[in-house]
Amino acid sequence: MGDTLMLITILGGIYGFINRNDLRNWLNRNRFPSIGGNPEHTRWQGLIFTVSRAEVPLWVIGQVQPASVGLLFTDTSRGEGEKIRQNAQQLGFTVLTKFINEPDDPAETNRQTKFLLQELHERGICDIAVDITGGKTPMSLGAFMAAEELGCDSIYVTTDYKDNKPDMSTAKIKAISQASS
């Protein structure tokens, strides 16, 4: 019995060593320390947006006044992204952009979001939020996963609609996940 138990222990140790990354990921899986509600603060130095329309990101930029803005856009949202870029640059903000070739691939958006987050960190911007309001659902999921993996806040803007357009007088920034908690 003792020999069998020792053999199982040794085999378990070898298996754990070979699959240590999977084991580490399982032990350290996302726990989402703070979900939903109102964000603790809205003084982010950097904002990254998944773009579909310009109204919401422009409203958030006006509310937060970040130092830098990152935009993730597709062929369909290129014109709206350009409006946001021009407006933000006129206000004196640094704007970084990334083009998403396949908006239905969350992995591509995840990679591009991580690239923007790393570039903002290299520029000395540390307090960053990722707004997942715009874009297609897979884009929002990819951006959310990147924010979680790199420890950034993720936010969403809720608003009522009038005449098929967002009514920005009813807009509110909502926390999806807050890394700082």
Side-chain angles (χ1 to χ4, degrees):
M1 184 68 147
D3 290 341
T4 305
L5 189 56
M6 179 61 84
L7 181 63
I8 291 172
T9 303
I10 290 171
L11 290 175
I14 292 170
Y15 178 80
F17 180 76
I18 291 170
N19 295 310
R20 65 185 173 272
N21 289 331
D22 292 337
L23 184 60
R24 185 180 311 116
N25 288 339
W26 181 76
L27 291 170
N28 294 324
R29 62 190 176 274
N30 286 346
R31 289 185 175 77
F32 303 105
S34 178
I35 302 171
N38 294 317
E40 290 179 4
H41 70 83
T42 56
R43 296 178 306 276
W44 297 287
Q45 297 172 330
L47 290 171
I48 295 177
F49 296 93
T50 52
V51 176
S52 56
R53 295 183 176 201
E55 296 93 350
V56 173
L58 290 174
W59 179 83
V60 174
I61 291 168
Q63 297 296 309
V64 175
Q65 299 289 313
S68 295
V69 174
L71 303 174
L72 297 159
F73 60 88
T74 65
D75 265 340
T76 308
S77 63
R78 186 184 301 269
E80 296 294 307
E82 187 59 29
K83 284 182 198 174
I84 298 166
R85 186 186 64 74
Q86 288 175 353
N87 190 301
Q89 285 179 332
Q90 286 175 352
L91 295 172
F93 305 126
T94 303
V95 180
L96 307 171
T97 60
K98 280 291 168 196
F99 179 74
I100 306 296
N101 289 313
E102 181 55 51
D104 293 319
D105 181 11
E108 180 182 358
T109 305
N110 182 289
R111 282 189 305 273
Q112 299 292 23
T113 304
K114 285 180 179 176
F115 182 82
L116 286 175
L117 287 167
Q118 290 170 347
E119 191 160 333
L120 288 172
H121 281 292
E122 289 171 5
R123 293 172 181 243
I125 307 293
C126 296
D127 197 5
I128 304 168
V130 177
D131 184 333
I132 60 170
T133 308
K136 294 183 81 175
T137 302
M139 288 175 61
S140 294
L141 290 171
F144 171 77
M145 287 187 283
E148 281 299 306
E149 291 168 11
L150 296 181
C152 295
D153 293 352
S154 55
I155 59 173
Y156 183 85
V157 177
T158 181
T159 182
D160 293 335
Y161 278 77
K162 284 186 184 175
D163 301 323
N164 206 22
K165 288 191 154 201
D167 178 10
M168 298 316 296
S169 66
T170 63
K172 294 180 198 102
I173 297 174
K174 294 290 187 177
I176 298 296
S177 181
Q178 298 177 77
S180 57
S181 295

